[in-house]
Amino acid sequence: MDKYMSFAETAYYFLNQGSGFSCGLSCDIPLYKSVNLNTTWHSPNPVSDGYIAISPKHKEIYVAWAGTRRIRSVAVDAMAIFEDFAPDVPGAIVHAGFAESTNAVYPHILKNIRAAAEDNPGYKIVFVGHSLGGANAVLSALKFAKDNEYIKDSIRVWTFGQPRVGNRQFSEYYTEMLGNQTYRITYQGDIVPHVPPWQVLGYQHHPLEIHVINKDGDFYVCQNTVREDLDGAYRWPTIDTGVADHLDYFGKPEITRFDPLIEW
């Protein structure tokens, strides 16, 4: 889990294609010594940032999405209205802001993932993201799985502190497509997995939730229930949740390292 959270944290930095990983202390660890940066993306409106990297050592291709870092991305988070996910998935609706920020760059990443997969046959394609980036990772992974079913089994999805993405029909379709290849990590009283609210708007999480219960990294693997496991993040009353745990997934993201922390 810690390895994939490291890649998710790195997405918060603006990486320069061709110069390798340039994210300060976040990348000053052995994990990145054998990882090659493939491409980056930076969409100003709707806001979306991230990168694709390749690890010959681990035989993995990483598609990493940044979370809420720029002021504009707060507006993306707040756009809690629904839109249709896809015409061939009736009834499945998703958060409009998450969908628009994903779709803005999806053609670019689709081209690059396909090329990387063709150049590196047998590699796993790992979508990662923290916070808003987790929602982007889920949507882009599902779109990629629909568009490339011949390599769907190579997909893995790791999200950390991910908000709810869509309604029940979307969750069921996602579970059918990628439920056995997805790991949705939640941590103690992190507020973000509690939004948008299902009680009012009908949002519903997908499995598989892994709920980290303390700073030692002990965790509970939630069961695939109709709604959300009452022993996972959902066991925390929303009133008792907050932002502090959202910024402490294995000590990451270390927000004081961002330069700048917030920009337009």
Side-chain angles (χ1 to χ4, degrees):
M1 285 189 281
D2 188 27
K3 177 179 80 169
Y4 297 114
M5 182 59 213
S6 292
F7 285 115
E9 179 187 40
T10 303
Y12 280 94
Y13 294 85
F14 278 27
L15 306 178
N16 297 313
Q17 187 173 5
S19 63
F21 283 100
S22 55
C23 54
L25 295 175
S26 178
C27 292
D28 190 22
I29 56 177
L31 175 64
Y32 292 103
K33 303 304 181 185
S34 60
V35 177
N36 303 312
L37 184 64
N38 175 273
T39 189
T40 65
W41 63 86
H42 312 291
S43 171
N45 189 22
V47 65
S48 177
D49 302 287
Y51 68 90
I52 296 173
I54 302 170
S55 171
K57 178 179 179 180
H58 295 103
K59 297 189 181 304
E60 292 179 326
I61 299 165
Y62 305 107
V63 184
W65 294 80
T68 304
R69 175 172 179 264
R70 295 195 272 170
I71 294 171
R72 289 180 187 173
S73 61
V74 176
V76 171
D77 292 347
M79 195 187 303
I81 60 175
F82 282 119
E83 68 175 51
D84 291 338
F85 170 66
D88 58 342
V89 189
I93 52 179
V94 296
H95 184 289
F98 300 161
E100 290 175 11
S101 64
T102 303
N103 294 339
V105 296
Y106 180 70
H108 170 71
I109 69 169
L110 173 63
K111 176 183 67 176
N112 283 275
I113 299 171
R114 280 176 170 168
E118 289 174 3
D119 292 342
N120 300 279
Y123 280 35
K124 293 288 188 292
I125 304 171
V126 185
F127 294 77
V128 301
H130 171 261
S131 191
L132 165 63
N136 293 138
V138 162
L139 286 168
S140 59
L142 185 55
K143 287 172 69 69
F144 186 80
K146 285 178 83 276
D147 294 338
N148 304 271
E149 291 211 26
Y150 68 101
I151 53 173
K152 182 173 75 73
D153 290 346
S154 68
I155 295 173
R156 298 293 183 271
V157 184
W158 287 83
T159 71
F160 301 84
Q162 170 205 317
R164 297 183 179 103
V165 176
N167 67 346
R168 177 180 57 82
Q169 290 90 334
F170 172 81
S171 175
E172 290 173 350
Y173 178 70
Y174 183 90
T175 302
E176 176 187 334
M177 292 286 286
L178 293 173
N180 292 330
Q181 298 155 239
T182 296
Y183 308 92
R184 182 171 59 83
I185 314 303
T186 59
Y187 177 57
Q188 295 201 125
D190 178 2
I191 190 173
V192 175
H194 292 256
V195 298
W198 70 265
Q199 299 95 328
V200 178
L201 299 176
Y203 282 87
Q204 181 174 312
H205 271 306
H206 57 79
L208 171 73
E209 180 186 1
I210 300 175
H211 185 60
V212 181
I213 60 177
N214 56 39
K215 291 185 178 295
D216 294 329
D218 297 324
F219 59 87
Y220 168 74
V221 179
C222 300
Q223 306 304 307
N224 293 347
T225 56
V226 174
R227 192 168 285 153
E228 294 163 33
D229 196 313
L230 296 180
D231 291 319
Y234 195 64
R235 71 190 178 93
W236 289 75
T238 303
I239 195 172
D240 292 334
T241 62
V243 176
D245 286 343
H246 188 58
L247 300 176
D248 194 18
Y249 281 78
F250 312 104
K252 305 177 182 71
E254 178 49 73
I255 60 174
T256 59
R257 295 175 179 174
F258 302 157
D259 183 24
L261 171 59
I262 296 292
E263 62 179 47
W264 182 252

